[in-house]
Amino acid sequence: MRRKVDEFMEKHGLGVGDLVRVVKREGDERITFEGLVMPPYELSPGETLTIKLDNGYNIGILIDAIEDIEILERAKEAPKMEFKEVLPRKEGLPSVTILGTGGTIASRIDYKTGAVHAAFTAEELAKAVPEIFDIANITPKLLFNIMSEDMKPEYWKRIAHETAKALNSGEDGVVIAHGTDTMGYTAAALSFMLKNLTKPIALVGSQRSSDRPSSDAAMNLICATRMAVSDVAEVMVVMHGETSDTYCLAHRGTKVRKMHTSRRDTFRSINDVPIAKVWPEGKIEYLRDDYRKRSEGEVEVDDRFEERVAILKIYPGVTSELLEFLVDKGYKGIVLEGTGLGHTPNDMIPAIERAVENGVAICMTSQCLYGRVNLNVYSTGRRLLKAGVIPCEDMLPETAYVKLGWVLGHTDDLEEVRRMMLTNYAGEITPYTRFDTFLR
Amino acid sequence: MRRKVDEFMEKHGLGVGDLVRVVKREGDERITFEGLVMPPYELSPGETLTIKLDNGYNIGILIDAIEDIEILERAKEAPKMEFKEVLPRKEGLPSVTILGTGGTIASRIDYKTGAVHAAFTAEELAKAVPEIFDIANITPKLLFNIMSEDMKPEYWKRIAHETAKALNSGEDGVVIAHGTDTMGYTAAALSFMLKNLTKPIALVGSQRSSDRPSSDAAMNLICATRMAVSDVAEVMVVMHGETSDTYCLAHRGTKVRKMHTSRRDTFRSINDVPIAKVWPEGKIEYLRDDYRKRSEGEVEVDDRFEERVAILKIYPGVTSELLEFLVDKGYKGIVLEGTGLGHTPNDMIPAIERAVENGVAICMTSQCLYGRVNLNVYSTGRRLLKAGVIPCEDMLPETAYVKLGWVLGHTDDLEEVRRMMLTNYAGEITPYTRFDTFLR
C-alpha cells in the first residue's frame, strides 16, 4: 500500500528540497510553516510530511492536518560544473586534505538526493564552500559516513592513520569533518594517537546542516582550513566562537567539550584558554604562545588502545554494583566522574580498593567539569588516594577516559599507568589552575 | 610509639588552630607557608604537619623537611558567652530554623576541638555569624553531620520531614546547611518531596571552611537567611554570585549545578535564570517574577522514592553491558546522559528496547548540560523515541535522576512515568529555550 505522504507529494507535485509554505490545522487555529520538503523517512508509516525549518530542525506535519500547501521555490538543480574529482592545483597555495567522517556538516546532500549517505567530492565542496579553494589546494576524501554518536575507538584509529598518511605524503594540514556529538572525544583520541605532530589537524563540524542560510558549516570549514595552513602543529577543534558569524575559536583537542545541545558556539575550552581566534577572512589572533609550532618530520601513529575502559558517574545513591560488575567483566580501567574535588561515597571505597588490588586502574575526575580534582583536602579524598585512585588533575572526564584507554594500550602496570596518566602528553593537564577560564 | 608529628608539636609548643609560618626545605630551595595548624589526621603515620592555608586547602609538610617554624598567633579561646541553646527571641523578627547536615560550612569547629563532628549550636552560630541574629530569631538544629558525598535518598527524606515540621510549626523559613558536593541533588530532591510549599527553603554551603578570612560561609549564611525570610516559597540554593564578597544568587533547586571544584561562585543556574540576587545587607533584586510566592497553608511531604535508579553516561565505546546489567539487577529506571541532542550509539538501541519491554523507564538527558534534548532532529533520536525513551526536555541529568526516583516511587506504569516526567512540578522544565543563560 502506498503511504499517505507519497500520494500527497505526488498529488501536489512536491519534490524533495522544494521550499514550501504549509498551513496546518490545529483545532480552531491555523499555523503556517515554511521550510524545505525532506524525503519521507523510510521506516515511517508515512502519515506526516517532514519539513526542515529555517532553524535547522525538522518537523513532521500530519498529512490529514494540512489545509494548504504552496511551493515557494523549486529545489535548485546543482549547476553542472566541469572539473574532476581533484581540482587542478593552483600554484603557490598550500595543500590540505579534508577527511569526511559524517555528521551534520556532511548532511547537505542528504535530502537533495534522498540518499542516507552524503557524498563528499571536490565538486560538491566547491559548490558549497568555494572560499576554501582560495586558501589551499583541497583534496577531499570520504573515510566513512557515520553519525558521530556511533563513533568508536576503531574509527579513531582509522582517522589517525589516514591523517598521518596525508601529512606524511606532503599535505600541509588536515581538516577532519566530524559530527559534533563526539567530536571532543575524537579530538582527544587523535591528540594521544598522533605523535611527533609537525602540522595542523583541525576537526570541524556544524550545528545546522549546510543547506540552510543559518548554517555554520561554511564559516566553520573556512576557519578550519585557515587553521590547517597555520603555524599550529596540534589537534584542534575549530568551531564558532559566538552565535553570530564573526569568528571561530581553535580549541586544543584535549581541553574542548560540547557544552550546548544546539548553539553554534557550543564548543568551549574547559580549564584552559583556546589556542586562537580565527576569522574567515584570514586573520588569526593567537590567545597563547605556548602552542606546538609547525616543524619538519614524520608524524607517527601510536594507536594501541585498550577498549575495556568505562566512565562511571558518581551521584547520591550510587552503589558499588556497577563498579564491581565492570571489574568482574574484566575491565582494565574506570574513570570516575566524582563529586566536587573528586569524591565518591565513603561506602564505595572498599570496592575501589578491591578493584585496584585486582589491577584495575581507577581514575578520578570531577563532574563539575571546571576546576581540578584535589584528593588532599577532605578525608574522603585522602581515603580514595590511599585506596589507589589516580587523581586526574584538571582533565575533562571525557579526555581522561580516552587517555586511560590509550595508556592501558601500552601498559597494565598500575604504577606505570599512574605515571603516564599524570604525564602531560598533549596539553590535557593545565599545570596551574586558571580562574579566568570559568564559563567562557 | 609516639608519632613524629606529636613530638614536633609538643617540642615547639604548637596547638591546634595556631597560626604559624613554616619554612620548608626542598632541595636547595626554601619555601615558606603560613597557615593554621590542623589536628594530625588520626590514621596517618604522623610524618607530616598539616597546615590549613589561607585558600582553605590543607597541605602536609614532612616534619623532616621543616627547617623553621614560628607561631604568629595563638588559637583564640572562644570568648565565654552567657546565652542559652536557643537565644532569647527578639520581638518583631521572623523565625528561621537552620538545619545542619554537615559539609564544609559546618567544619569550623573541627580543628579547634580536634573532633570529627562539628558542633552546631546557637552559641557557635552567634559567634561565627552574628549578623543572622539581626535578621531572624534563629533556631539551629543539627540533623546529622556527614560529608555531602555520603548523602543518600534516605537522608533526603529526613531533611524533607524536618523541614516540613519546622515550617508547619510556625517558622517563617528554613535554611539547610549542606556540603556543596551534592547540594544540587538534595535541592532537587526537596523540590519534589515537599509539596504545597508556602515558605522559603534555602540550601547553603561553603567552598572554604568558615575559620578562614577568605571563607564564603558567613556571607552565604547571611544571604540564605535573607532568602529564608523573603517572599519566595521555593527550594533554593543560595551561594556566592561571583568570587568576591558582593552578592549571592538564589538558584531554583531543580536548575542548579556545581560547576567548579573550588570557586566560590561554583553554583550556576543551567538553562534558566536564577530567582534573585541577594546582598548580605538585605537588598534583593528579583531576576524573574514567576517564582512561587509565600502564602498560607501546611507544607506536605511526599517522599516515596524508588532507589533502584541509576545514571549512565554515554561515550564512544560504551557497550550495552552496563544497561543490561542494571535491567538484570531489577533497576526500575535509568537516566542516560546522551551525547548532543540526546543520542546513544545505534547499536545500543536494541538493549534499550528490551529494557523498556521489561518495564524499565529509560530517560534521556544531554551531557552537554546546556540546551535541550530533541529526539526528532536526527534518525538516531527518532529510533530512540520509537524504542520508548523519554526525552527529558532541558532537565539536568542530576535533576532527571532525582525526579525519576521520585516518579517511580509513585508508579511503575511506563505511560504514567512518561506523563509525570514531562510534567513540570518544580520548575525543572523550562518551557522555552533561553539562549541568554549559556555559561552564566
Side-chain angles (χ1 to χ4, degrees), chain A residues 229-388:
Chain A
V229 300
S230 76
D231 193 34
V232 183
E234 299 206 18
V235 177
M236 294 169 275
V237 163
V238 181
M239 293 283 289
H240 262 58
E242 45 182 38
T243 47
S244 52
D245 287 336
T246 44
Y247 61 86
C248 284
L249 286 169
H251 303 275
R252 183 163 274 166
T254 50
K255 301 300 278 188
V256 66
R257 191 173 191 283
K258 185 174 183 179
M259 290 297 285
H260 198 286
T261 55
S262 46
R263 274 174 71 112
R264 287 135 60 102
D265 57 347
T266 177
F267 281 90
R268 300 282 110 189
S269 287
I270 310 291
N271 293 325
D272 213 343
V273 172
I275 294 172
K277 274 172 146 174
V278 50
W279 281 259
E281 299 77 21
K283 182 180 151 193
I284 296 178
E285 178 189 329
Y286 287 98
L287 302 176
R288 53 195 306 159
D289 56 13
D290 61 349
Y291 58 86
R292 191 176 165 96
K293 308 290 187 301
R294 182 186 286 274
S295 63
E296 297 294 319
E298 292 265 305
V299 174
E300 292 160 36
V301 179
D302 177 358
D303 69 352
R304 284 172 286 172
F305 195 89
E306 169 56 60
E307 296 196 12
R308 301 262 86 188
V309 173
I311 304 180
L312 274 192
K313 177 156 172 160
I314 301 302
Y315 48 86
V318 69
T319 69
S320 303
E321 287 175 344
L322 279 173
L323 184 79
E324 285 164 346
F325 169 75
L326 290 171
V327 173
D328 291 346
K329 273 286 194 179
Y331 273 68
K332 301 294 182 199
I334 298 166
V335 172
L336 300 175
E337 257 190 35
T339 60
L341 291 163
H343 298 135
T344 67
N346 273 282
D347 57 18
M348 258 187 95
I349 296 179
I352 291 172
E353 279 168 358
R354 282 195 299 275
V356 174
E357 280 162 19
N358 281 302
V360 181
I362 309 287
C363 292
M364 183 60 77
T365 62
S366 174
Q367 61 190 253
C368 295
L369 303 177
Y370 290 95
R372 186 182 300 267
V373 298
N374 187 336
L375 301 183
N376 290 304
V377 179
Y378 295 106
S379 58
T380 306
R382 290 190 292 265
R383 288 189 63 200
L384 285 165
L385 271 185
K386 214 172 153 191

Side-chain angles (χ1 to χ4, degrees), chain B residues 143-292:
Chain B
L143 279 190
F144 38 76
N145 191 8
I146 58 167
M147 301 304 283
S148 82
E149 58 266 29
D150 291 325
M151 192 57 63
K152 297 176 187 193
E154 63 182 89
Y155 297 133
W156 294 339
K157 296 181 185 182
R158 271 194 65 191
I159 301 172
H161 282 284
E162 291 287 342
T163 302
K165 200 166 88 182
L167 294 177
N168 291 338
S169 68
E171 293 291 273
D172 295 293
V174 166
V175 168
I176 299 165
H178 195 290
T180 55
D181 267 33
T182 63
M183 199 192 297
Y185 296 88
T186 300
L190 296 177
S191 300
F192 297 115
M193 287 180 178
L194 291 170
K195 289 170 77 170
N196 190 30
L197 258 192
T198 51
K199 294 169 180 175
I201 297 163
L203 286 98
V204 67
S206 74
Q207 289 278 83
R208 307 274 183 281
S209 62
S210 52
D211 39 42
R212 302 306 306 140
S214 70
S215 173
D216 48 343
M219 189 180 115
N220 289 345
L221 191 55
I222 295 166
C223 291
T225 308
R226 298 244 179 239
M227 290 312 297
V229 300
S230 77
D231 192 34
V232 183
E234 298 205 20
V235 177
M236 295 168 275
V237 163
V238 181
M239 291 285 289
H240 262 58
E242 45 182 39
T243 48
S244 52
D245 287 335
T246 44
Y247 61 86
C248 284
L249 286 169
H251 304 274
R252 183 163 274 168
T254 50
K255 300 302 279 188
V256 65
R257 194 173 189 283
K258 185 173 184 179
M259 290 297 286
H260 198 286
T261 56
S262 45
R263 275 174 72 114
R264 289 136 59 102
D265 56 348
T266 176
F267 282 90
R268 299 282 111 190
S269 286
I270 310 292
N271 293 325
D272 213 343
V273 172
I275 294 172
K277 275 171 143 174
V278 49
W279 281 260
E281 299 76 20
K283 183 180 150 193
I284 296 178
E285 179 189 329
Y286 288 97
L287 304 176
R288 52 196 305 159
D289 55 14
D290 61 350
Y291 58 87
R292 191 177 164 95

Side-chain angles (χ1 to χ4, degrees), chain A residues 145-187:
Chain A
N145 190 9
I146 58 167
M147 302 304 282
S148 82
E149 58 266 30
D150 291 325
M151 191 56 64
K152 297 177 187 195
E154 63 182 90
Y155 296 133
W156 294 338
K157 296 181 185 183
R158 272 193 64 192
I159 301 172
H161 282 283
E162 291 287 342
T163 302
K165 200 166 88 183
L167 295 177
N168 291 338
S169 69
E171 293 290 275
D172 294 293
V174 166
V175 169
I176 299 165
H178 195 291
T180 56
D181 267 33
T182 63
M183 199 193 294
Y185 296 87
T186 299

Side-chain angles (χ1 to χ4, degrees), chain A residues 68-134:
Chain A
D68 190 33
I69 185 158
E70 180 188 351
I71 298 171
L72 302 176
E73 197 184 325
R74 284 287 177 191
K76 287 188 205 63
E77 269 298 306
K80 284 287 170 216
M81 291 170 79
E82 290 297 320
F83 46 59
K84 304 218 173 60
E85 182 69 21
V86 173
L87 299 176
R89 299 180 76 81
K90 294 186 195 166
E91 288 278 326
L93 282 190
S95 301
V96 168
T97 287
I98 301 185
L99 298 175
T101 70
T104 303
I105 196 165
S107 70
R108 173 173 176 273
I109 319 299
D110 267 355
Y111 73 89
K112 298 270 183 196
T113 62
V116 175
H117 291 284
F120 195 82
T121 65
E123 182 170 328
E124 282 148 353
L125 266 178
K127 277 183 292 195
V129 195
E131 295 92 333
I132 59 174
F133 291 83
D134 295 326

Side-chain angles (χ1 to χ4, degrees), chain B residues 321-339:
Chain B
E321 287 175 342
L322 279 173
L323 183 79
E324 283 163 347
F325 170 74
L326 290 171
V327 174
D328 291 346
K329 273 287 195 178
Y331 273 69
K332 300 295 182 200
I334 299 166
V335 171
L336 300 175
E337 256 188 37
T339 60

